[in-house]
Amino acid sequence: MRVVWLFLASWFSLPCYAVDTVSTNLVKLAQKLYVEQREEISFEEAKQRLLENQFLLVQAKLHNEVILTRQSEVGFSTAYHVNKFTTSALKHWFPVLDKETVSKVALPLTKQQLVKLLGNYPADGKYSEQQIEQWQNVTLSSNPVITVAETMLSQSMQNRFRLHQGDIGLLSAIVSQQQHQVDIFTKAKPLLRKQGLTIAQIRQLATGELLRPEMLAYLGLKDEMHGQRSDYVNHLRAAIPLTAIQQFYRKHRDSFRYVKQVQAQGYYFDKRETAQAFRQLVAQQGWEKALMTYKPTPIWRSNDITLTRADKPMWETQLAFSSEYGSLSPVVRTPHGRWVVLLSHTPQYDYYDATSETVRYQALNALTKQFAQRAYKRAYQQWVAKQKEQVL
């Protein structure tokens, strides 16, 4: 069976270290899963990844503990994902478990009782301690014991909302799946025991793998979504000295070259068709013939003006800088509803000043990742050196 492994992140690996802190049999099992997602991964690489994942969990407990419970307020709980991941992994490793089917359970609640018990969905999506305590005393299954509290807290915002509406079919499916997972875990225990492994180790493996992408982003080793930065990364960024920025500028000065000014001429048209005809005539017979024929309104005060980025009108000036130099622009509509055709050429280049905000911003982005990688490597090496016993 092919495991659907949605949370496998892009590979990040440090040099391997000569440590024996991960169970050999666990590495072999993990390697089988990794191979499902990657063409080739050696035993040592799989072992290193598992070890790194445990280090990332340690960092999560120190710096980002909230993701151990939930990665997103609107998503499922971390435990939900871990159980799903563990179930899939066990079925992949032990095909006999894949024969187990999900049995539909009879719930002790009706739709009306469920709506009364849950009440209205909270405006902020959060439940009070009193609600959770009340739900903790209501069981949906006795073997294994599954409570309303753990079921509600494991679900996504969308599913919780549906349950508040009395979706008894959804509740039945959730509880059936929870029972199925417990049944898989129970039947897997003797199979794992033969290899000297436990369900707890598999869950730990799953937790590390699932949280790996977010922790790598949190620690600054990969970009976060929407350009956000964690408090940890912001702290690293704030500590970058000015000398590092200056050194970065000297080393990468060519990347800070920009077009300071261009020569340009351009014209306004009220109709798109007229602008297109003008452009075609310029291309066929040149500027003089086209200007005499259409007598368009010039954008700038002269036909071949030297522009800087600060010149007005700003939108048209920026279009001149962004157009292909030496080539007639296509017909472009302005934000004010007019049409323009222009030509920009002879760009003059300069370099951003070493103290400019552009240099500082780009240098900090690059240096932050460098500093984050160094901090990670140093902390990881120190952590590995302290491991005297098996950690997974």
Side-chain angles (χ1 to χ4, degrees):
M1 181 194 75
R2 187 174 183 82
V3 176
V4 179
W5 203 341
L6 298 177
F7 295 88
L8 198 59
S10 60
W11 187 266
F12 177 90
S13 183
L14 295 172
C16 291
Y17 298 92
V19 291
D20 293 313
T21 53
V22 182
S23 165
T24 297
N25 285 337
L26 186 62
V27 176
K28 291 179 179 178
L29 292 179
Q31 187 181 13
K32 291 181 181 179
L33 289 178
Y34 291 140
V35 168
E36 284 289 307
Q37 303 301 315
R38 299 175 61 84
E39 292 184 5
E40 292 292 339
I41 179 171
S42 69
F43 177 89
E44 285 301 322
E45 288 172 331
K47 176 181 175 181
Q48 180 66 18
R49 185 178 178 94
L50 290 180
L51 192 59
E52 285 182 23
N53 285 350
Q54 296 315 296
F55 169 73
L56 289 171
L57 286 182
V58 172
Q59 297 304 301
K61 292 174 184 177
L62 290 174
H63 304 292
N64 195 21
E65 195 170 13
V66 65
I67 69 168
L68 297 174
T69 301
R70 194 174 228 99
Q71 293 174 269
S72 164
E73 290 187 1
V74 301
F76 293 92
S77 70
T78 299
Y80 171 92
H81 289 301
V82 169
N83 288 336
K84 183 178 180 180
F85 184 107
T86 303
T87 300
S88 295
L90 290 170
K91 289 182 177 181
H92 176 69
W93 288 326
F94 308 111
V96 65
L97 298 177
D98 200 26
K99 298 178 182 179
E100 300 295 326
T101 58
V102 180
S103 300
K104 188 175 181 180
V105 299
L107 296 175
L109 293 174
T110 64
K111 176 178 180 178
Q112 292 72 24
Q113 290 173 324
L114 179 62
V115 171
K116 182 178 180 180
L117 174 65
L118 299 182
N120 294 326
Y121 187 81
D124 60 1
K126 298 178 181 179
Y127 301 120
S128 66
E129 292 183 7
Q130 184 179 1
Q131 283 177 300
I132 295 174
E133 185 177 351
Q134 178 189 6
W135 297 343
Q136 192 66 44
N137 295 322
V138 181
T139 58
L140 298 171
S141 169
S142 57
N143 186 26
V145 175
I146 299 173
T147 68
V148 171
E150 67 178 279
T151 299
M152 292 297 293
L153 295 178
S154 71
Q155 296 301 297
S156 66
M157 181 179 71
Q158 182 179 18
N159 277 2
R160 294 197 303 271
F161 184 81
R162 289 174 58 186
L163 293 173
H164 277 273
Q165 301 300 307
D167 193 333
I168 204 73
L170 173 61
L171 182 61
S172 177
I174 293 171
V175 175
S176 297
Q177 188 62 41
Q178 289 173 320
Q179 284 192 337
H180 175 69
Q181 290 172 341
V182 172
D183 186 44
I184 293 295
F185 298 164
T186 301
K187 292 179 178 178
K189 286 180 180 179
L191 300 175
L192 290 170
R193 195 178 301 121
K194 292 180 181 179
Q195 301 189 40
L197 300 174
T198 66
I199 287 291
Q201 286 175 297
I202 306 303
R203 287 179 57 80
Q204 184 84 342
L205 178 155
T207 305
E209 193 61 42
L210 289 168
L211 298 185
R212 178 186 179 88
E214 186 160 343
M215 280 308 300
L216 289 177
Y218 184 89
L219 295 174
L221 302 178
K222 58 178 289 189
D223 294 332
E224 293 206 51
M225 292 181 62
H226 313 300
Q228 297 175 330
R229 292 190 296 266
S230 67
D231 291 341
Y232 174 89
V233 172
N234 282 331
H235 179 74
L236 283 177
R237 189 182 183 91
I240 295 175
L242 178 59
T243 53
I245 296 176
Q246 294 170 338
Q247 183 180 6
F248 183 89
Y249 176 77
R250 290 192 296 269
K251 184 177 180 180
H252 301 280
R253 186 169 182 265
D254 285 347
S255 66
F256 293 106
R257 193 175 77 148
Y258 72 101
V259 177
K260 185 178 182 179
Q261 63 185 40
V262 295
Q263 300 293 117
Q265 65 183 105
Y267 302 92
Y268 288 119
F269 300 88
D270 293 328
K271 296 181 179 180
R272 181 171 182 267
E273 293 76 12
T274 306
Q276 289 176 324
F278 173 84
R279 185 182 186 280
Q280 186 175 6
L281 189 57
V282 171
Q284 292 175 347
Q285 300 187 38
W287 285 98
E288 184 176 355
K289 177 66 174 178
L291 291 172
M292 290 180 60
T293 302
Y294 291 96
K295 296 180 174 58
T297 303
I299 298 175
W300 298 284
R301 62 181 179 271
S302 64
N303 286 342
D304 198 20
I305 189 172
T306 299
L307 295 176
T308 68
R309 294 180 183 272
D311 284 323
K312 296 180 179 180
M314 293 297 293
W315 189 90
E316 289 82 347
T317 296
Q318 295 311 310
L319 178 62
F321 274 90
S322 61
S323 295
E324 182 179 353
Y325 301 130
S327 298
L328 198 61
S329 76
V331 175
V332 182
R333 192 172 191 266
T334 73
H336 306 293
R338 303 182 78 181
W339 301 88
V340 298
V341 175
L342 59 81
L343 172 71
S344 56
H345 61 92
T346 319
Q348 299 295 314
Y349 294 90
D350 200 354
Y351 294 89
Y352 286 106
D353 188 88
T355 60
S356 69
E357 188 58 34
T358 297
V359 170
R360 176 177 172 79
Y361 177 78
Q362 293 185 21
L364 281 176
N365 282 347
L367 291 171
T368 297
K369 183 160 290 188
Q370 292 178 19
F371 276 57
Q373 289 172 343
R374 292 172 190 168
Y376 179 91
K377 183 175 181 178
R378 183 169 56 252
Y380 179 72
Q381 289 174 334
Q382 292 172 351
W383 178 79
V384 169
K386 293 179 180 178
Q387 304 312 311
K388 304 301 181 182
E389 299 179 356
Q390 184 168 297
V391 298
L392 186 62

